């Protein structure tokens, strides 16, 4: 590897580090940009701070100007393909062209058909474009946003908080608290990163959740996700969901795909499904769960409400097999983060191949 390639890879690593400073939530991706001179010096840096703010490339150009640096002939190292459309801000592809940048190195090509085309625009203007530099790391930083835009629906995380024998409540219905304070704090941190949280209408009736994101001191986090209630039962006027926190959205359906379509229209990129068991089963049977975060406490109940209702699985051969990605200790509990495989193309049957996908989506949702 020559010095130029090494400088390029170091700059991409720095751009990815900058991208991580951006918010995990919101309709826009995390993006970082580093401008390099011909001899490998950093001329400017930038990252995207969220919807409506300057994009990473424009921020890097502004940073270079503030430093008094000349970017003509420079290389722009960007974690995501520069956009080529005018939304809340102008197209980054044209900003780079107008600035006289000679080369652009890109980690990940933009899967969004509305914003993509920046690489082609740059090439047409005579700019040398390299793609696929640290692509895996780039997609990892983009996280749920990349999956949501590529698939045309929100990335879905199913959260479970259970006893060791898979119960979310005791026989008398009590459930506070099965998991530890450490697990609850981690779950609140997750809420502060997602765009929306969904629960079933039955859970609203029984548990009256607030669905807010709070810090370790119990104060409301700066970002509050949409609070989504799924099902035909009305939300009681006195429900805590009508109090402080994110906007309340009631989706009067039992079909997870209708929920995701509505949220996609609202530019929700990451949906956290929190319960109850019927809603969890409906999303699993519909084949739209991408990730499961299971908080498991060393508690045995022996009876009570299961974490997931009937999935229509009649034998072990039909079991949903997940791929563990992370196992972490949280106080006395264990967090297991797993991913499911790609969505099934046959949506007429459940995991066992015999049961309709939404059969368990009853009035309990």
């Amino acid at each position: 590897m020559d010095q130029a390639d090494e400088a390029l890879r170091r700059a991409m690593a720095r751009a990815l580090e900058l991208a991580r400073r951006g918010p995990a939530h919101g309709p826009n991706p995390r993006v970082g940009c580093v401008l390099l001179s011909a001899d490998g010096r950093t001329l400017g840096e930038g990252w995207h701070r969220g919807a409506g703010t300057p994009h990473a490339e424009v921020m890097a150009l502004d940073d270079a100007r503030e430093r008094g640096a000349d970017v003509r002939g420079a290389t722009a190292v960007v974690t995501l393909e520069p956009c080529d459309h005018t939304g809340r801000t102008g197209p980054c592809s044209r900003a780079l062209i107008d600035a006289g940048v000679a080369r652009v190195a890109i980690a990940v090509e933009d899967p969004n058909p509305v914003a993509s085309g920046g690489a082609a625009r740059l090439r047409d203007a005579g700019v040398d474009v390299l793609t696929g530099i640290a692509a895996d790391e780039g997609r990892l930083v983009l996280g749920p946003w990349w999956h949501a835009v590529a698939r045309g629906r929100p990335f879905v995380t199913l959260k479970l908080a259970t006893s060791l024998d898979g119960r979310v409540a005791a026989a008398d219905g009590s459930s506070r608290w099965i998991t530890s304070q450490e697990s609850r704090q981690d779950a609140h941190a997750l809420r502060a990163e997602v765009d929306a949280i969904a629960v079933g209408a039955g859970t609203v009736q029984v548990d009256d959740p607030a669905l807010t994101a709070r810090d370790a001191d119990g104060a409301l986090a700066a970002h509050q996700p949409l609070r989504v209630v799924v099902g035909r039962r009305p939300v009681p006027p006195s429900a805590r969901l009508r109090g402080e926190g994110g906007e309340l959205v009631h989706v009067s359906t039992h079909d997870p795909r209708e929920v995701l379509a509505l949220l996609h229209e609202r530019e929700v990129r990451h949906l956290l499904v929190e319960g109850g068991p019927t809603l969890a089963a409906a999303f699993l049977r519909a084949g739209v769960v991408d990730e499961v975060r299971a908080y498991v406490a060393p508690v045995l109940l022996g009876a009570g409400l299961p974490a997931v209702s009937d999935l229509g699985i009649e034998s072990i051969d039909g079991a949903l097999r997940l791929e563990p990605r992370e196992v972490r200790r949280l106080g006395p509990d264990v967090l297991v983060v797993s991913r499911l495989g790609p969505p099934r193309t046959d949506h007429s049957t459940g995991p066992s191949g015999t049961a309709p996908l939404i059969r368990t989506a009853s009035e309990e949702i």
Side-chain angles (χ1 to χ4, degrees):
M1 182 182 297
D2 60 27
Q3 290 185 344
D5 288 340
E6 180 61 27
L8 187 65
R9 293 194 179 278
R10 283 201 308 268
M12 182 60 78
R14 174 60 176 167
L16 291 166
E17 179 184 336
L18 292 168
R20 292 186 185 95
R21 297 182 182 181
H25 56 81
N28 288 5
R30 285 172 158 176
V31 183
C33 176
V34 174
L35 296 172
L36 288 181
S37 67
D39 59 359
R41 291 180 295 109
T42 297
L43 302 176
E45 297 182 339
W47 70 93
H48 185 48
R49 289 177 166 86
T53 65
H55 288 191
E57 299 92 328
V58 172
M59 186 177 174
L61 290 170
D62 290 343
D63 182 43
R65 293 188 188 101
E66 290 179 5
R67 299 185 190 197
D70 185 357
V71 301
R72 287 175 295 179
T75 296
V77 181
V78 193
T79 59
L80 181 67
E81 178 184 0
C83 67
D84 195 50
H85 82 298
T86 299
R88 293 169 180 159
T89 60
C92 293
S93 57
R94 299 192 185 192
L96 293 172
I97 293 168
D98 292 343
V101 168
R103 185 168 68 154
V104 177
I106 300 167
V108 180
E109 295 181 66
D110 197 330
N112 187 347
V114 175
S116 63
R121 171 84 61 182
L122 289 162
R123 289 190 179 101
D124 290 344
V127 177
D128 184 22
V129 178
L130 306 176
T131 60
I133 310 297
D136 290 342
E137 293 89 339
R139 282 190 289 270
L140 186 63
V141 170
L142 289 168
W145 180 91
W146 189 86
H147 294 274
V149 172
R151 295 177 180 178
R153 65 160 177 82
F155 182 88
V156 177
T157 295
L158 172 62
K159 191 203 90 174
L160 305 174
T162 74
S163 64
L164 201 58
D165 50 352
R167 306 294 177 176
V168 295
D172 65 356
S174 60
S175 60
R176 295 183 181 179
W177 296 102
I178 289 176
T179 55
S180 66
Q181 182 178 0
E182 291 87 345
S183 289
R184 296 195 297 275
Q185 287 177 353
D186 188 82
H188 273 283
L190 175 62
R191 286 181 177 183
E193 291 187 353
V194 303
D195 300 304
I197 307 173
V199 295
T203 295
V204 174
Q205 298 282 343
V206 173
D207 292 341
D208 191 23
L211 299 185
T212 53
R214 297 185 178 272
D215 61 24
D217 296 325
L220 286 174
H223 165 68
Q224 294 295 317
L226 294 177
R227 297 180 286 185
V228 182
V229 177
V230 181
R232 299 194 178 98
R233 296 185 189 183
V235 178
S238 60
R240 297 171 66 204
L241 287 172
R242 298 190 183 277
E244 60 181 6
E247 178 186 351
L248 173 61
V249 179
H250 186 189
V251 188
S252 185
T253 183
H254 292 156
D255 187 346
R257 296 186 180 280
E258 290 183 18
V259 177
L260 295 180
L262 182 147
L263 295 179
H264 178 67
E265 290 179 1
R266 297 193 57 152
E267 295 187 302
V268 167
R269 304 304 188 205
H270 192 178
L271 171 65
L272 177 62
V273 176
E274 288 213 357
T278 306
L279 187 68
F283 271 79
L284 286 166
R285 290 171 69 101
V288 294
V289 173
D290 302 296
E291 176 183 78
V292 176
R293 293 178 69 92
Y295 298 87
V296 183
V299 174
L300 295 172
L301 290 173
L305 200 62
V308 178
S309 295
D310 178 27
L311 292 176
I313 296 172
E314 298 179 355
S315 72
I316 195 65
D317 292 338
L320 285 177
R321 303 288 180 176
L322 286 70
E323 178 187 350
R325 296 294 184 91
E326 178 186 358
V327 178
R328 181 155 43 102
R329 180 80 176 265
L330 293 170
D333 305 335
V334 174
L335 169 63
V336 181
V337 182
S338 302
R339 290 285 179 91
L340 281 83
R344 294 183 301 275
T345 55
D346 178 8
H347 300 308
S348 62
T349 60
S352 67
T354 58
L357 284 171
I358 314 300
R359 180 174 293 173
T360 59
S362 69
E363 285 297 329
E364 293 179 21
I365 292 180

